Amino acid sequence: MSDRRYKQNVERDMVRRLRKMLQISVQPFMVKTELIFGVERKTSDVAMLLPHEVFAEVCTSMPAVVAERFFGAPGSREDFWDLMKAEPWFDRHPLREKFLSSCPPTPLRTWGDDASLGKSGYTQARVMNWCSCVATGKSMNVKIPIYILSTAMMTDQTERPLLTVAAWSFTCLMTGVHPLAPKHRNNHKEKFQCRNRHLEQLRISK
């Protein structure tokens, strides 16, 4: 995460890391959110790598690794959901029948890591990642960043718009279509519609 003087480095560093890991190019999606600069709270841009765009790029540029990085070995999705049957939430989930079907969806997970950045480790950052639960590749190849934030610049509202956009992107990924943004996301609606690209017919569950 770069400070206010070098905001362009956020975009540069995220794209560089993704290109190195996945050997693809994805343009970051800039989202305005509240950050702390010194003692002031200001609205600023944070770079995000949209999951559905990353998936589309991998499918287009590196189709040979899609199974390894997203779908796993044959039968791995079925085995995953079979294990989940023992979890208390499973019987209450509205998609439980889909999970146990002959073509179950690919399970995904997201998590946030607090990490030290830079050679001195002085800057503490929150890194939000996602990956497939059944991926078989090396950890650094299948773990994909969504956004990076300096924890010193975060407020209690910083992640709210970022998670809203992330949820929209995961909906695109899982359904294969780009839904219109709800009314409470009007600030992003125009940008959402401009990012349609070529994913309409692509489904992660197939």
Side-chain angles (χ1 to χ4, degrees), residues 29-32 48 50 52 159-173 175 177-194:
F29 182 65
M30 308 306 292
V31 177
K32 292 188 179 299
M48 296 184 65
L50 300 181
H52 72 282
E159 291 188 282
R160 185 180 297 274
L162 305 179
L163 294 175
T164 296
V165 175
W168 171 83
S169 180
F170 278 117
T171 298
C172 295
L173 178 59
T175 62
V177 297
H178 294 252
L180 295 179
K183 291 182 179 179
H184 71 278
R185 300 181 195 169
N186 277 344
N187 289 338
H188 301 294
K189 184 173 182 179
E190 183 178 350
K191 292 182 180 179
F192 287 163
Q193 292 173 335
C194 290

Side-chain angles (χ1 to χ4, degrees), residues 18 22 24-30 48-61 70 130 144 168-170 172-173 178 191-199 202:
L18 191 63
L22 302 179
I24 60 175
S25 175
V26 168
Q27 294 301 315
F29 182 65
M30 308 306 292
M48 296 184 65
L49 296 172
L50 300 181
H52 72 282
E53 292 192 344
V54 172
F55 178 74
E57 288 287 342
V58 172
C59 288
T60 300
S61 62
F70 294 103
W130 73 282
I144 305 170
W168 171 83
S169 180
F170 278 117
C172 295
L173 178 59
H178 294 252
K191 292 182 180 179
F192 287 163
Q193 292 173 335
C194 290
R195 302 292 291 230
N196 274 351
R197 305 186 61 175
H198 55 276
L199 193 62
L202 195 60

Side-chain angles (χ1 to χ4, degrees), residues 1-3 6-19 24-31 45-49 145-149 195:
M1 179 74 184
S2 305
D3 64 21
Y6 306 104
K7 287 196 297 183
Q8 71 275 13
N9 290 352
V10 176
E11 176 175 332
R12 182 201 66 192
D13 294 344
M14 291 185 71
V15 172
R16 178 183 296 170
R17 182 170 186 263
L18 191 63
R19 284 174 174 168
I24 60 175
S25 175
V26 168
Q27 294 301 315
F29 182 65
M30 308 306 292
V31 177
D45 286 332
V46 171
M48 296 184 65
L49 296 172
I146 302 175
Y147 60 80
I148 302 173
L149 291 168
R195 302 292 291 230

Side-chain angles (χ1 to χ4, degrees), residues 42-167:
K42 296 185 177 181
T43 298
S44 184
D45 286 332
V46 171
M48 296 184 65
L49 296 172
L50 300 181
H52 72 282
E53 292 192 344
V54 172
F55 178 74
E57 288 287 342
V58 172
C59 288
T60 300
S61 62
M62 302 181 68
V65 304
V66 172
E68 174 187 272
R69 292 179 178 172
F70 294 103
F71 301 139
S76 59
R77 286 179 292 168
E78 290 82 353
D79 292 342
F80 177 89
W81 292 118
D82 189 58
L83 288 173
M84 291 300 103
K85 288 191 299 184
E87 296 296 325
W89 56 264
F90 189 88
D91 286 338
R92 302 191 300 271
H93 200 288
L95 297 179
R96 59 186 179 279
E97 293 183 2
K98 176 65 175 177
F99 296 155
L100 300 178
S101 68
S102 59
C103 184
T106 299
L108 305 175
R109 73 184 186 105
T110 63
W111 72 99
D113 285 332
D114 287 341
S116 299
L117 301 181
K119 294 182 179 180
S120 65
Y122 180 77
T123 302
Q124 297 296 310
R126 172 75 48 78
V127 184
M128 185 62 69
N129 302 289
W130 73 282
C131 74
S132 165
C133 297
V134 295
T136 58
K138 295 180 180 180
S139 174
M140 291 304 296
N141 286 340
V142 301
K143 183 172 68 173
I144 305 170
I146 302 175
Y147 60 80
I148 302 173
L149 291 168
S150 168
T151 55
M153 298 174 71
M154 294 173 59
T155 74
D156 58 353
Q157 298 297 315
T158 296
E159 291 188 282
R160 185 180 297 274
L162 305 179
L163 294 175
T164 296
V165 175

